Structures are given as structure tokens and as C-alpha cells.
Amino acid sequence: MPSSVQILLALLLTASCQLAIAQPTPATQTVRGTVRDAAAQAPIIGATVVVLGVTSALGGNTDAQGRFRLVNVPVGRVQLRVTSLGYEELLLHDVSVSAGKEVVLDVQLTERLTPLGEVQVTYRRGEDQTVPNQEMATVSTRPFSPLEANRYAGALGDPARMAQNFAGVTSVNDGRNDLVVRGNSPATLLWRLEGVNIPNPNHFGSQNTTSGPVSLLNNNLLAKSDFLTGAFPAEYANALGSVFDLRLRRGNDEKHEFLGQVGFNGFEVGAEGPYSKHSKASYLVNYRYSIFSLLKAAGYRLAGTPEYQDFTFKTDVPVGSRGTLSAWVLAGRSTITFLGQDVDSTRTDVYGEESVNSYPRFRTGVAAVSYEHRFSPRTVSRLTLSASRALQHFDEDTLLFQSGRRVLAELPAQRDRFRQDKRSAHLQVAHKGSARNRLTAGLLVDGLGYDYRSTELYPSLNQERDARGQTALTQLYGQWHHRFSALLTLNAGVSALRFALNGKTVVEPRLGLRYQLTPTSTLSAAYGLHSSLAPLLTYFYQSPQADGSYALTNHALGFTRSHHFVLGYDRQLADNLRLRVEGYYQALFEAPVEQTPSAYSGLTEGADFDIASRDHLVNEGTGRNYGLELTLERTFAQGYYFLLTGSGFDSQYAGSDGVRRNTPFNTRYVANALAGREFRLGQRGNMFTVSLKATRAGGRYVTPLNAEASRQARAAVYRDDQAYSERLPGYFRTDVKLSYKINRARLTHELALDVQNLTNRQNVFQRAYNARTNQLGTAYQQGLLPIPFYRVTF
């Protein structure tokens, strides 16, 4: 029986043969978009947009709505220069033009602080991809484009896997897109989409985590976005370690376009375009269906096979000349079945146990509508209303064997039914007082609904959770961006949070300064006090009492808090070469720990699918993270790019026993090297690309198993008094991606092969106990895995 990879390779081979006989056509495309003021979001009239490096002059000016259009732009990579009187010049070095899809840009210019003729520093906005969308961010902010998620080997079009290449970021599991940022738990990440704080946007994503094996987010629909790793602005709250601030692009409002794709995320179809020829209203829609689900429907039996599907929709409708109404939907469902009979009994399996059948089920949905209105060229307001629901069902049965592998009985062992709802309103007002000052204020109210039922049935009966109700989290924030001069910029803000469940309230100041040392270098410093709630499930764990009743002993749990200090140096070494160095220190306090002395801390949660079941938690734990990060990046130009990142850090915590220990995320160091070369083939702009990636990281710290106690108990027994004292071997992995883009008549084909773990390195994932063999074993991470890919746009 052929594997799913073999079937997919056969499909792609058929597609490539058909492409080989396609007829040549002229290879040009339209590049258009809108130019706006970066602070006020007002359209800029009369801005000049020019294509650089082409034989015949290509350029144009923006109209009264700030729109521009450039026709007959050659396919391939082009550079654009955008200028306007009174604004800093902007260069776009890596604009990818293909025959199958128009290029629609959203360009933002920063107003000049000094008059023409005086000394003016324009470096900071000289390369758009190095400048974040979030103007209030001073340090530790990495903007990225969807092109990078497609370009990097091993990223699989997943924004989170792409971000694992950035300085200060590592992962703990090849099978998931965890983001360990500066030694913080992946659970401390805040996901934000179009101004909405969203639940875990991953298939098979547990409610106590922020990651999963397959992303719900579709890279084909994302616009330029920001990834923040420390001392972030006051707008972001209930986030301790990092923030993913994502934006969806607008659909093409002039032309209908379509997409078909097959790869790691499944089979995918998409469409976008205007509702009519006379309207600037547009839609964007995409649906994905897992390859494994299709194979199962065709009659293939695949053990432990993930099945998932997701849907994304967005529409943008202009309202008069000053308003825009937007609405979007993100929804997905995923299921998987682990049967004990399918587990290889000769080895320790990472996700399955031969004596257990488990049935996880997940559903996630988010919908939002927003209205943005420009009251004047300097004042803009946005109101966003949203609703979300995350469902997590988990059934686990224990198998009793009669002899050998024959099942005598299947006993219900665990039943979990978790539902979490959120209804949110986010009002934000931004005012640009002058070229020197910008003020932003906002109110965010999250109404939280919950229905948690969790019962352990075997070997003993225990009602772990049984709670239904409503609560709320409210945030009020204000931010000030001030330019003292062309060289010195201040970002300041304050955020206040209140959790209605127990009345806990926190106030968080934020402060950042950036100084332009030379036209090509800057020095930055920032401080922030950040706070985060524990996962909502934690508050409703029931503690059994002596009289047979239960008590909610975690109900009064407050925020985990952290002081962030960051110092950064940024230098432009050449036109496309940039060096960044950042040092940081984080002091964490008021982390959840147990009342009785133990090694447990909430700072160690979030690295797996399990949900913490701890009672009598109090905010008395501490931790610290500090380190140094280095990034050397050459943005894509002249056909190649590279990215070198390195981080040395230390991450420790103390539980209620007062002993300072390593966190499970303390790998001590991580280094990434990525590079890619693009070769232009023929006269039609066809491109062959080779991308390489290598990652080296230190070993994780784990809690050692007690071999003798495990054998006696016939279950894993850990030495909790030695928590996170055993270090696993170091991690090394190389990936390579080969891709070929073919431009034809009004369409573009892309074929690729992403080979993960090229050397088939056996990286240790965990030490585990095998109940059948009564022995300790080692589970390894993903081995060599080739992943084919095909996409057509037209």
C-alpha cells in the first residue's frame, strides 16, 4: 500500500509533466496598492512610486484615495521606491511578482521631522521589512512577511515554525510549533489577529497551551505582521513572554483570483476578488482539508492519523470616503484516534501507549467585525466586536489484556469536556498631534464563558472539574510616541487589567527610548512590567476534601508578573545587511506554586498536551531569565539571502520549596543558520530556489525517572525532588527546500520538496517508561521526512 507521501509525490509528478508542455507567454503583472500616513492612516495624495532597475521607466503617482497602479511590471523580484513631499523615503527591496496573481501593497510612510535641506536621518524606515507595524515598539520586535514563511526551509508555511528561526526563540518538540521565547513557557505567548486576542490557533491545540502540530492560520492570507519578544507596548496585556500580532490581507478589489494547493497542511482551495466591477468591496476565502482525511475516505487505514479541516473568510467594505467595515471568520476542527493495538510494542512511543485507547477532539472558531473611521487626517478610531469558542473533548479507555495482545476489556478511564467562549469589544483611538507626537488609547473587554467537566473513572473515581459560568477580563491602556528630535524617540505607556472572577487588578508601566547614534546605527533601551493569568482551566480544578466534597482552592489565584529590561544595538552594515544585538533580563514573580513545599511552578507548564491538575496554588513562585542575542541578516536581494541568529541564555525558577532549578525550557543556547539562492531560468521569469537551514541547540532539562519505583508501580515514577536536573543530549537538525516557480499565461505554478532532518539525526525527545516491558526507554524526535508541495495561482 503506498504511503501518503508517495501518493502526493505521484500527483506532483503528473502536474510537473503537464507544465513541461505548457505554451510560453509574456511574463508581466500589475503592481498596485495604497500609500498611507503611518501614524494617522490617512491616504497620501501625490506620492511617487517607481520600479527600480528596469530598462524602461515604470512609475506613477497616487490619486485622491492614495491609490497607485503600475502595469507591465516584469515577473521576478523587483525594487520599489516610494517618496512624497514631507515624508521619509521608503525602499521596498523584495517585492515578488508572479504571473498568476496581482501584487497589492499597503505602503506606509513616516512624516519627516525636519524640513528639507536640514540633516535628516531616513535609515530607520529605509527597508520596510525591518520596520514593525507597531510604531510604539522600541525593542525586541521582528516584522515578517508571508514570503518568509514560504521561503525558509522547514517552516512549512507556518508563521510559528518560521519564528523559531529568530534570535531568542527555540522549540521543545519537532511535532509541534511551540515557541519558547527567552526561556519562557510557550503558554506565555499571546496570539492576536486583527486586533483580537484569539484562542490557540492550532489544530489539536489544548486550551492550556498556545501551540499544536498544524496551524489553523493560513499563510496565503496573512499580511505583514509583527512578532514581539519582550518589553512590548502597553497595548498588549495578559502576555508574559511574547506576542504574535497578525494581520489578514485584503482581497483583490479589482480582479477575481484563485488558488489551489497541496502540501503538509492538506488540500487547499482559495478565491478572492471584488463583489462587483463598480465596488471597492472585496472578499477573501480559503478552505483546507487534510490529506490524511482524504486517504481515509478513499479506504486507506492509517494508524494514529490526524484529520483536520479549516476555513478562513475576510471581507472589506468601504463606507463613504472615511470608513471601512471589515469582517472575518477563522474556524477549524481536528480529530485523532490512538489505539493501543497500533502502538509498536518494541519501542517507547511518544504519543501512544499500548494499554490505552485515546480519542482527542478539538474545535475552534473565531468571528469578528470591525469598523474603522477617520474623523480627520490626524485622528482615526476603530471598534472591533468578536466572539470565539474553543471545544476540547478527550476520551481515554484502559485496555485489559487476557493473554499476549488479546484485549479482554476496554474500561472508560477519563472523560473531559471543555468549552471556553469569549465575547470581546475593543475600542481604540489614535491621534497624531504632529510629526513629533502620537497618542493611542484603548479599552478591551473580554467576556469569558466556561463549561468544564473532567472526570477520572479508572482506576478510581475523581471529579476533577465541574464548573459552568461567566467572568470577564478588562484592559484599559494608553500610549505616547514622542520624537524629541530626528535622533531621539520616546515610547511610553501604561496598561491596567482587572480579572472579574476574583477581583485581581494590576497596573503595568512601559517605557522605551531609541537614539540614532549615526545614520546607520541605533541604540535602544526599554522596560516593561508584564502580567498574565494562568489558563482558565487552572482556576476550576477541584480539590477533594475529607468529607467527600470538593473545593475550588485555586479560585483566588492572581497574575504571574515579570519585569522586562532590554538593551539593543542595531547597525546597517550595508544596503541589505543588518546586525542586531540585544541583551535582556527578566525577573518573574508571583508565579503559581503549591502551598506545601514542592518543586512545582506554573512557569514550567505548557510544553505538552497535558492539563495541569494541581490544587492549593498560591502566587509565591519566582523565576529569572537573562541572555544575549545576535542577528546578522541579509534581506533578499541580487538573488540570495541569509539569516544567522544566536542566543545564549539562562532560565531558572523556584517552587514553594525555595530551591532554584532549571526550567524545562533552559537549553542554554540555540543557533540557526539559514540561506537561500534563487536562479532565474529562461525569459519568462521562472525561478529555481534552494533554501538551507541548520539548527543547533543545547539539551533540555527533564525530571529523571525512578527506575526501581517505576518497575514496582508498573507506571512512570519521577524523582520530583530532583526536578529538571537531568540534561538531555544536544539538538541538531538540518533542512533543505528545493522549489521551482513557473510563470505561464495568467497563472503561476510552484513545486517544492521540503526535506526535514536531512541527516536523519536521532534527537532525544524524552525518557519514558514502558509498562509492558517494565523497562525505561528513550523516545526520539522526527526523523528524515520529505514533504512535497504544489501550488497554482491564477
Side-chain angles (χ1 to χ4, degrees), residues 657-668:
D657 60 4
V659 178
R660 187 166 294 279
R661 296 179 171 89
N662 295 295
T663 71
F665 317 110
N666 191 16
T667 62
R668 303 281 185 175

Side-chain angles (χ1 to χ4, degrees), residues 508-665:
E508 306 171 345
R510 314 286 171 86
L511 182 67
L513 281 171
R514 179 186 297 110
Y515 182 69
Q516 195 89 37
L517 296 171
T518 70
T520 58
S521 63
T522 59
L523 183 66
S524 304
Y527 162 78
L529 176 57
H530 303 272
S531 308
S532 177
L533 291 171
L536 198 57
L537 281 164
T538 306
Y539 294 86
F540 299 99
Y541 180 73
Q542 298 185 141
S543 175
Q545 305 298 295
D547 61 359
S549 63
Y550 296 93
L552 297 176
T553 59
N554 298 336
H555 219 256
L557 200 62
F559 293 83
T560 301
R561 315 198 71 191
S562 178
H563 295 288
H564 286 202
F565 303 89
V566 183
L567 182 65
Y569 175 74
D570 200 309
R571 184 175 181 85
Q572 193 82 11
L573 302 176
D575 285 345
N576 303 297
L577 186 62
R578 185 185 188 193
L579 171 70
R580 174 182 290 178
V581 181
E582 285 196 344
Y584 63 89
Y585 182 85
Q586 298 177 356
L588 297 99
F589 60 102
E590 298 183 7
V593 295
E594 294 177 310
Q595 276 186 338
T596 56
S598 75
Y600 173 78
S601 172
L603 298 178
T604 65
E605 294 288 350
D608 52 35
F609 293 98
D610 294 336
I611 296 172
S613 296
R614 304 274 181 163
D615 55 10
H616 293 90
L617 296 179
V618 293
N619 292 102
E620 297 179 0
T622 61
R624 71 178 186 195
N625 302 319
Y626 62 87
L628 185 67
E629 303 168 355
L630 183 145
T631 300
L632 182 64
E633 181 174 16
R634 187 189 194 277
T635 54
F636 198 100
Q638 289 84 48
Y640 74 98
Y641 76 93
F642 65 77
L643 174 65
L644 305 176
T645 63
S647 307
F649 66 97
D650 188 54
S651 176
Q652 296 188 354
Y653 80 99
S656 56
D657 60 4
V659 178
R660 187 166 294 279
R661 296 179 171 89
N662 295 295
T663 71
F665 317 110

Side-chain angles (χ1 to χ4, degrees), residues 72-88:
N72 297 323
V73 178
V75 300
R77 306 281 179 179
V78 300
Q79 298 182 56
L80 300 180
R81 176 188 288 125
V82 185
T83 57
S84 181
L85 184 64
Y87 287 86
E88 296 178 4

